[in-house]
Amino acid sequence: MNAILWSWSLTGLFLLSIIANGVMGSDEMDLFNNFSGTNMFQKQDDGADVLMVGLTLVQTAAAEGAVCLDGSVPGYHLYRGYGSGANNWIIQLQGGAWCDSIEDCQNRKRSRVGSSTLMETPIEFKGILSNKAAENPDFYNWNKAVVRYCDGASFSGDSENKTAQLQFRGKRIFLAVMEDLMAKGMCHAKQALLSGCSSGGLAAILRCDDFSSLFPPTTEVKCMSDAGFFLDAVDISGARSIRRMYSGVVNTQGLQNTLPLTCTSHLDPTSCFFPQNIINQVKTPLFVLNSAFDSWQIENSIAPPSADPSDSWHNCRSNFTCNASQMQFLEGFRMSMLDALKTFSMSNKNGLFIISRWAHCLAQRKDTWFPGNSQPGEDKGIAVVVGDWYFERAKE
């Protein structure tokens, strides 16, 4: 099995520059149907149809205690595959940051990332979720499910706070939704990919081996983390803003009991919520897709307002308009990320694609996923690279 490890002079990683500008779709909808219990229709996006998929609630999850922060049942959006993809599955874990205190989680449970009663529906399926062969040549006709995020801890908690009326059941949610999807045909999967964006990308790492264990050895199972490689880094004030936040998440939800034992046996629980300390123990083939200048991490971990009282980093963290000293600091962050991935890159079952532009989450966006959107002079876009890795088409 050959990993996709693009050459770079020091680290074995290829850095591709991609401009990640959002594409907003219009609200016009012209085609509606009902398919296998999931509402789907198309809406116009700059003259092209975009697949919209409705929400399915897992009512049986309540009996298993697999509920959102507010106690409501979890949900997912399912698009049925067809043809050559009828027995292949992509599971996408939704992102949406975390809650790091009781107060924060109480506020969160009154939002769409804490309660299924407030989740918007339908949602767009773009990028790796697109049903168009021209935009998504390898996965367009696969079964695709987006699992909604409503636990605040990357699908990892399994506790509760009765006094605060909060349920921290992310791991149970993941397993309950997987059980529901297995009953809807995923148990017959020939190929399966667990993916996730941002905090969902972290969840894809944490739940990767759990996902793989659902299938027989004959099923080709792999995982991909998109913008989920959050680094335990020092911010511009010399503090560790993201470590402080992660410590709050871990302690609030009691994650020390659910994080990988291969990590917690020798590191503190907060360290084991950072991908750099767990990716090398993941047994299932894993692909890391990330920006070395991840925009969320720049805004919230490297130069958050709390570390920048003079607001001197405002332009840099907001739109990547940085001066020379700021770029030097960010270059140090980039090198730290590449260094943290060195051991991971040495395994020939794994793959990675590190870009060098200001961006966050790439696989669910038409403008960054679509292979035709590579920069001039570049041979491959992200969709092709990920497909080459999954199907083992590329030679090292």
Side-chain angles (χ1 to χ4, degrees):
M1 187 179 297
N2 293 311
I4 294 181
L5 303 176
W6 300 90
S7 62
W8 190 57
S9 57
L10 295 179
T11 67
L13 308 180
F14 172 66
L15 302 180
L16 168 67
S17 298
I18 291 179
I19 299 174
N21 296 317
V23 177
M24 300 299 294
S26 71
D27 290 328
E28 279 113 341
M29 303 167 184
D30 66 353
L31 177 62
F32 176 88
N33 59 42
N34 187 285
F35 188 53
S36 299
T38 301
N39 293 327
M40 295 183 296
F41 52 95
Q42 305 287 133
K43 86 171 187 176
Q44 293 296 311
D45 175 27
D46 295 333
D49 287 341
V50 177
L51 181 65
M52 304 291 292
V53 182
L55 180 66
T56 298
L57 295 178
V58 186
Q59 300 294 350
T60 56
E64 302 173 32
V67 292
C68 300
L69 286 170
D70 71 334
S72 58
V73 296
Y76 60 85
H77 303 255
L78 174 63
Y79 169 79
R80 291 287 190 174
Y82 60 92
S84 61
N87 289 318
N88 299 330
W89 289 73
I90 290 177
I91 305 300
Q92 178 79 13
L93 302 179
Q94 189 185 47
W98 309 269
C99 56
D100 61 358
S101 67
I102 294 299
E103 181 181 7
D104 193 19
C105 292
Q106 286 177 324
N107 290 332
R108 189 182 181 93
K109 79 174 185 178
R110 293 186 285 271
S111 74
R112 62 180 176 82
V113 286
S115 172
S116 63
T117 66
L118 299 172
M119 291 175 181
E120 76 282 19
T121 185
I123 63 171
E124 296 180 345
F125 272 34
K126 289 184 177 182
I128 195 172
L129 301 174
S130 171
N131 64 337
K132 297 178 176 60
E135 298 176 5
N136 189 25
D138 285 316
F139 306 106
Y140 72 96
N141 62 350
W142 284 32
N143 296 280
K144 305 177 188 77
V146 173
V147 184
R148 296 304 293 262
Y149 180 40
C150 65
D151 66 276
S154 289
F155 294 90
S156 292
D158 191 10
S159 64
E160 65 179 337
N161 187 311
K162 292 183 179 179
T163 301
Q165 297 183 314
L166 288 168
Q167 295 292 319
F168 303 130
R169 303 295 187 182
K171 189 171 183 179
R172 291 194 191 190
I173 288 171
F174 173 81
L175 295 174
V177 172
M178 294 306 105
E179 181 181 5
D180 200 66
L181 291 171
M182 292 293 274
K184 291 184 176 178
M186 193 168 72
C187 61
H188 303 299
K190 294 180 179 178
Q191 296 175 305
L193 175 65
L194 176 68
S195 183
C197 160
S198 193
S199 54
L202 170 57
I205 297 171
L206 289 164
R207 302 275 71 81
C208 182
D209 286 340
D210 292 336
F211 182 68
S212 182
S213 70
L214 299 172
F215 301 94
T218 52
T219 304
E220 184 75 22
V221 184
K222 299 185 180 183
C223 305
M224 181 173 73
S225 173
D226 177 11
F229 198 79
F230 298 95
L231 204 64
D232 188 6
V234 176
D235 66 31
I236 58 173
S237 72
R240 292 183 179 268
S241 296
I242 192 168
R243 171 167 275 272
R244 183 169 58 247
M245 180 178 65
Y246 271 14
S247 178
V249 176
V250 169
N251 292 324
T252 298
Q253 297 215 14
L255 300 188
Q256 62 271 13
N257 299 317
T258 60
L259 290 169
L261 186 59
T262 53
C263 181
T264 56
S265 62
H266 65 281
L267 291 177
D268 65 275
T270 297
S271 294
C272 296
F273 204 51
F274 283 99
Q276 66 201 75
N277 297 319
I278 56 179
I279 55 170
N280 297 326
Q281 285 77 51
V282 176
K283 298 177 182 178
T284 308
L286 174 64
F287 192 98
V288 171
L289 171 62
N290 225 93
S291 172
F293 299 113
D294 183 89
S295 58
W296 189 93
Q297 294 190 64
I298 292 172
E299 293 174 38
N300 297 279
S301 172
I302 301 304
S306 60
D308 182 31
S310 66
D311 205 28
S312 61
W313 277 70
H314 175 79
N315 289 335
C316 184
R317 66 172 167 262
S318 298
N319 55 31
F320 207 39
T321 303
C322 310
N323 60 37
S325 63
Q326 290 168 339
M327 281 305 304
Q328 184 177 10
F329 192 95
L330 294 180
E331 178 66 14
F333 173 75
R334 181 177 73 89
M335 293 304 296
S336 295
M337 179 178 291
L338 298 177
D339 185 63
L341 284 163
K342 279 184 179 179
T343 300
F344 173 82
S345 71
M346 293 176 184
S347 172
N348 63 7
K349 70 177 172 48
N350 297 326
L352 60 157
F353 201 51
I354 305 300
I355 71 169
S356 59
R357 290 289 180 91
W358 185 87
H360 185 67
C361 288
L362 302 160
Q364 279 187 256
R365 300 169 55 144
K366 177 181 176 181
D367 59 325
T368 51
W369 175 258
F370 179 39
N373 287 352
S374 301
Q375 293 295 297
E378 293 165 355
D379 294 329
K380 297 184 177 183
I382 295 171
V384 176
V385 173
V386 173
D388 284 351
W389 167 77
Y390 186 92
F391 297 104
E392 301 172 30
R393 293 188 299 238
K395 300 299 181 181
E396 193 171 331

